[in-house]
Structures are given as C-alpha cells and as structure tokens.
Amino acid sequence: MTQVRAAQLPAPGAPAVVAFGGGHGLAASLSALRRITDRVTAVVTVGDDGGSSGRLRHELGALPPGDLRMALAALAGSDQWSRTWTDVFQRRFVGGGPLAGHALGNLVLAALTEHVGSPVAALELAAELLGACGRVLPLSEDGIDIVAEVTGLDPDDPAATHQVRGQVAVATTRGSVREVWVEPAEPRVCAPACAAVEEADWLVLGPGSLYTSMLPHLLVPEMHKVITGAAARRLVVLNLVAQPGETEGFTPEAHLRVLAQHAPGFAVDVVLADPAAVPDPSALAAAAADLGAALHLAPVRSADAAGVHDPLLLAAAFDAVFSASGPVAGGIPGPPAGAEARTARATLTTESPVAHRGPGSAGEQTSWSDDLPDRRRAGSARPIQQGPRRRSGGSPVADPVGTPGPPDPRATARDLKE
C-alpha cells in the first residue's frame, strides 16, 4: 500500500473519485482524497437556508454558496498565491452592518454567477483562482428545500407527525426525523455532475449530516438514477459522533438503515468507520451486508477532537480501500461479480493495511479481503429496486428506520452550516 504523506503527489493511474456531501463533512473527505488522487470531483448539496448562504439565497436568488466555498477551500492549492486567496475566501466580515457574517467567498461566488450567468462556470473560475486540485459542482443548478416528517414535537401527542421545512430547521429539530424529501421533487440536476458520476471509479458518500448533507443527493431522482446505475464502486463513510438534532441517539447501523429506507436500489461496496465509534462491529457488519457492502474499520479520527476526521488517517483509509479493490477498468482481470462477491464480512485482526495513528489500538483495526464486484468489467449495474417513497403529500415509506439505539456519549458535534 502507498504510504500517505502530506506532501505526497497522487500516483499515476490514481482513481477518479466523486465525493458527495456538504459542509465540514465533505471538506474532510476532500482534504483526504486530494492526498491520493488529483481526479476528484465534489458534488455539493444546495439546500442550505441558514447564515450567510441563506441570506444570499433569499436576497439574490443565488445558490447557497457556503458549502461550495468550503469544498473549494478543501481542494485549494498549497502555493502562496492559492493559500492567500483561500484565506481571503474564508474570511468573514464582523461588526453590525449588512455585511456582518458574510464570508467573502460567498459574495464572490454569488457575484461570479451573476457575471457569467452560470454557477458551474463561476465555480470553475473560482477553482482556477484558488488553484484547486479537482472540481467542485452543485448537485442542482437550482436551490432545493429539505423537508422532513418529524415526531415528538407535541408533548401531548408524541406520536403526532409534523412537517419541518428547511435545512437548518431539520438539522436542529427537537423531534425525531422519520422521513425526509426534497422540494421541488425533481430539481434540475447539474449535468456535469452526472457526467462525472458516470466516468468515476469510486463514489464516496459522507461523512456529514445524514439528512441534510448526505441524503439529498439520493433524493434527487435524476442523480439517484445515475448513482445507482453507475459502474463505479460506492463507499459510505460514517460519522465519528452522532449529531444533536439530526441523529442524536443513532447507532452507526441506524445510519445505514436510513440510507436503505430513503434510497431504493442504492447498493454499497464498502462502509468505512472508525472502530472507536462502533460499539457493536457485528451489528454494523450485518447492516452493511444488507446494502451489499463490506465493512472496513480503520482509525480516522483526530487525536485532538473526537468528532473530527484526521486528513492523513482518512487518506490512508481511502488508499487502503481503493488499493484492496483492484482496478475498476482495463485489461487486468477483476474479482467475480455475483451475490457471493457482495457478501460482507468484517474480521477483526491485530494487523491492518493502515498504519496505526491516533486513538484505538492496532487490534481494533479491521482487515478485510472480500472480493468486490467489478461492475464496469462485468458490463452491468445493480438493478434499481422500486419501493415506496414519499413525495410531498404522498404515502409514507413502508419500512421504518427502527430503533436507533441508546444515545452516544460522544455526540457533541454536528456539521455546521455556512
């Protein structure tokens, strides 16, 4: 396995990776991915309605730029020019005037979009200015609203359901989210983002806010169709801590059940988690297997903050997963496709392909060697399973999430919106 260092250049033949998400979770994933490949595309959710992004969205009709800005910053170049512009992009105005709270990069992205008439073109210009290693694209060229059905808001009738609208409201709700969807039901998807998915070797979902950063990509029908039909392999990265509001009290396996509930046909090849954040590895392995995935445990958390991913450790974990899978395309024979190839197993050992750093002993790491299906070689994609889904005013999803498990005492951080 390639040893990952901060200054290491991506190796020749590095995989093409599309990373989905928003906010700090996506930024963490991009900061790691850029260390092992220069073929990175970030597809960013555009549902933010709070803070600077919400104000610009309301006042200008612009796409919420905060998560897009953070993705650009995570991919920015390391030379002095790029770092200077990145620092300026991230700088927020203070004081009590109309600019207070706005990040300069948010204003620049909004202005560039008005100037060139396209959010995609604006992001390309900004990426060139910041010397970005990779590409940043919006999920949709129109803003979307995240809507949730929530219980537990009425103390006199805890089972009563209420509709909560907006990313901030969903992320901070005091109730339990039972279901989430986007409006409009079929937003205009970003065509270059779909093209990137079709050409990718790996699709990476997470870490990040489950309902407001990860799921929206799978709730947009056209993107859901492209993701589930793509030849690329799929990796889900689980959060290190539960998030107050959205997923407080959720076990890691409850996150996977939510994905399965909301995204029919979404099959996964690998689920990546930190062993210190997994109370029951067997239960998580079983939940991963329900999605067709192998479970890979590796220490990825920062030694300084329980809820923060260490970019070097996460890069090493990505590298281990990508390397273990073998080539996705080309003339080298790949592992056989079929049901047996999708069977997930997680075997705890005292050895791991990932060099040990940070919390957790080497014995807590996981070595896995199950073959992964080579969909591109086989020339077929997993079938899209049809199942009941809710759209606004529709019927509820048949299969509930289930009991998420006891509260996690580590639940102290959440993915802040920009």
Side-chain angles (χ1 to χ4, degrees), residues 12-170:
V17 182
V18 176
F20 301 91
H24 296 284
L26 177 60
S29 183
L30 296 175
S31 295
L33 286 168
R34 62 171 297 161
R35 287 171 161 81
I36 59 175
T37 179
D38 55 0
R39 303 169 65 198
V40 182
T41 301
V43 178
V44 184
T45 184
V46 286
D48 197 356
D49 60 351
S52 170
S53 289
R55 290 160 60 189
L56 292 172
R57 183 176 178 180
H58 175 73
E59 295 172 12
L60 303 178
L63 281 183
D67 289 352
L68 296 163
R69 184 199 82 246
M70 291 183 67
L72 285 169
L75 293 175
S78 57
D79 60 282
Q80 186 61 43
W81 169 276
S82 300
R83 295 316 310 170
T84 298
W85 275 110
T86 301
D87 291 344
V88 171
F89 254 56
Q90 297 285 61
R91 183 174 294 276
R92 289 188 184 274
F93 293 98
V94 296
L99 289 179
H102 280 302
L104 179 63
N106 290 358
L107 300 176
V108 172
L109 287 174
L112 279 174
T113 300
E114 286 193 353
H115 180 66
V116 299
S118 163
V120 173
L123 286 164
E124 297 287 5
L125 287 171
E128 185 175 352
L129 181 65
L130 272 59
C133 170
R135 195 176 189 192
V136 176
L137 296 169
L139 167 62
S140 169
E141 295 193 42
D142 301 314
I144 60 175
D145 288 318
I146 298 171
V147 188
E149 185 179 80
V150 178
T151 59
L153 295 180
D154 185 352
D156 296 325
D157 187 4
T161 60
H162 300 266
Q163 202 173 98
V164 176
R165 180 178 296 271
Q167 178 169 293
V168 172
V170 173

Side-chain angles (χ1 to χ4, degrees), residues 354-400:
V354 182
H356 177 63
R357 279 184 54 199
S361 65
E364 291 178 304
Q365 302 175 49
T366 291
S367 173
W368 58 278
S369 57
D370 286 348
D371 289 336
L372 297 175
D374 191 335
R375 283 184 291 273
R376 183 167 297 177
R377 182 183 61 82
S380 61
R382 290 184 174 123
I384 298 177
Q385 302 170 0
Q386 299 299 323
R389 298 180 67 188
R390 176 187 292 276
R391 292 296 177 198
S392 181
S395 303
V397 173
D399 185 21

Side-chain angles (χ1 to χ4, degrees), residues 269-340:
D269 292 288
V270 182
V271 172
L272 172 63
D274 189 294
V278 181
D280 189 345
S282 297
L284 181 56
D290 288 340
L291 289 174
L295 173 62
H296 182 73
L297 298 180
V300 292
R301 69 172 58 201
S302 168
D304 300 322
V308 177
H309 288 80
D310 182 300
L312 288 175
L313 289 176
L314 187 56
F318 282 145
D319 191 42
V321 169
F322 297 164
S323 299
S325 70
V328 175
I332 302 175
E340 64 278 1

